[in-house]
Amino acid sequence: MTASLEVVETTVTARRPLDVAMSLQPLQRGKGDPCHRRTADAIWRTSVQKSGPVTYRLTQIDRHSVRCQAWGAGAHELAAGLGRLVGEHDECADFAPDHPILVEAHRRFPHLRLGRTDRVLEALVPAILEQRVHGIAAFASWRHLVWKFGAPAPGPAPDGMRLPPTADVWRRVPSWEFHRANVDPGRSRTIVRCAQVADRLEKIVDLPREEANRRLMSIPGVGIWTAAEVSQRALGDPDALSVGDYHLAAMVGWSLLGKPLDDAGMVEYLAPLQPHRQRAVRLLEVSGQAVKPKFGPRTTLVDHSWH
């Protein structure tokens, strides 16, 4: 726990119901994420805003209101964007699924809100770490790198919380440190490339979705899957479908059709739900209606680190 700092307190009251834990759940990279901690009564997170580092604590007051306490140089900036973070501006009036499972999930979870962090590199680096590897391995790599290169969290953060590394730090991580974190050269080079142009990438938060994706995918090593994962979290894009995911297409197929789909089949089947395809996927997940594939290829646990 770091030294005491002034606390910045903010409350957001939304017109529609919201659930802060549900909105922020996609931001957590595994149970041991040093940048995300869920306690009995709150969610704690860290970030590096344009104005500086911040630790923030979110508590649900009622179905429409969320309270935020923030510490650090980035506290006021974080507070100013709190509504976007918890999905206050997420609109779904034109979302009209006809599949009974999605209709029922939408009825049961009107408080599902897709928030946005507006922090591109903080969504991009973990997504790159998750490329083509098992989630367990990717989360372990993230923990290792944040512990090694992230700074202490400001304010009264729970023990063990760290700030995510800044772009300048990511640019300077030696190749052998990525290796020790079980990150292969392809992914480590992509992270460094992205960090080198981080200032340009951060500006995509103000661009139309198509241009934002084009700019993301102009970086070698950032493809359609990675761009979608970033768009979901940093931009709150309700249509960002993670095409290329190992299990998503099969999950959508089993859940809604009772048979597996490939990526092309999933894209075709979900086309009528545009621009809310990612919303449909999230509804399947939070409602418990997502059917996991019973068979098929699995990502393997590969150790790239030194012993």
Side-chain angles (χ1 to χ4, degrees):
M1 184 177 295
T2 59
S4 177
L5 295 173
E6 176 189 2
V7 60
V8 175
E9 299 198 20
T10 313
T11 299
V12 163
T13 300
R15 291 175 289 108
R16 294 192 297 117
L18 57 81
D19 183 320
V20 66
M22 191 178 293
S23 293
L24 269 64
Q25 189 278 326
L27 303 181
Q28 183 175 12
R29 311 325 265 243
K31 292 183 179 179
D33 186 350
C35 304
H36 187 112
R37 181 76 55 82
R38 185 168 183 177
T39 61
D41 61 346
I43 295 172
W44 292 80
R45 283 191 54 79
T46 63
S47 176
V48 180
Q49 304 285 295
K50 287 180 286 186
S51 53
V54 62
T55 297
Y56 57 99
R57 178 180 186 267
L58 300 176
T59 53
Q60 187 101 30
I61 300 173
D62 55 39
R63 284 173 58 82
H64 290 264
S65 301
V66 174
R67 179 190 184 210
C68 175
Q69 298 168 286
W71 299 264
H76 287 282
E77 183 182 355
L78 186 282
L82 180 61
R84 295 190 300 276
L85 180 67
V86 300
E88 179 192 9
H89 305 298
D90 177 35
E91 294 293 341
C92 60
D94 59 340
F95 179 56
D98 56 12
H99 194 290
I101 289 178
L102 290 176
V103 171
E104 177 63 10
H106 190 36
R107 184 193 68 79
R108 288 175 52 210
F109 294 90
H111 48 288
L112 173 66
R113 310 290 284 277
L114 306 181
R116 56 182 291 166
T117 66
D118 290 326
R119 305 306 298 147
V120 175
L121 194 68
E122 287 180 15
L124 183 52
V125 172
I128 294 168
L129 291 174
E130 292 165 23
Q131 291 174 348
R132 303 181 302 277
V133 299
H134 199 291
I136 294 173
F139 297 153
S141 297
W142 173 247
R143 289 194 302 271
H144 178 99
L145 291 165
V146 172
W147 265 105
K148 179 81 173 181
F149 298 102
D159 290 342
M161 293 200 73
R162 305 278 289 177
L163 290 163
T166 63
D168 185 59
V169 172
W170 284 122
R171 284 194 290 265
R172 300 170 189 276
V173 174
S175 59
W176 60 85
E177 291 289 358
F178 279 116
H179 202 162
R180 286 172 177 158
N182 199 19
V183 181
D184 60 84
R187 287 180 294 152
S188 64
R189 284 194 296 267
T190 300
I191 290 171
V192 173
R193 284 191 204 105
C194 290
Q196 289 169 342
V197 294
D199 289 345
R200 182 165 67 91
L201 289 177
E202 295 296 342
K203 294 177 181 178
I204 71 171
V205 299
D206 299 317
L207 297 177
R209 180 176 49 125
E210 294 77 9
E211 176 60 19
N213 283 332
R214 187 200 66 76
R215 187 168 295 188
L216 278 170
M217 291 190 290
S218 71
I219 309 299
V222 177
I224 186 171
W225 180 87
T226 306
E229 293 286 305
V230 174
S231 293
Q232 291 163 18
R233 294 166 174 83
L235 310 182
D237 186 349
D239 199 51
L241 192 62
S242 298
V243 176
D245 189 272
Y246 275 101
H247 300 302
L248 181 61
M251 182 274 282
V252 169
W254 280 113
S255 302
L256 300 179
L257 294 173
K259 63 180 182 180
L261 290 171
D262 59 13
D263 280 336
M266 175 183 66
V267 170
E268 179 181 3
Y269 182 72
L270 294 181
L273 294 177
Q274 290 178 292
H276 295 284
R277 295 175 297 174
Q278 172 59 16
R279 189 184 309 280
V281 170
R282 285 284 290 138
L283 280 170
L284 286 176
E285 293 170 343
V286 302
S287 67
Q289 296 298 312
V291 178
K292 303 299 183 183
K294 301 178 179 64
F295 51 84
R298 292 177 175 268
T299 51
T300 56
L301 285 166
V302 180
D303 188 357
H304 300 282
S305 61
W306 292 336
H307 298 285

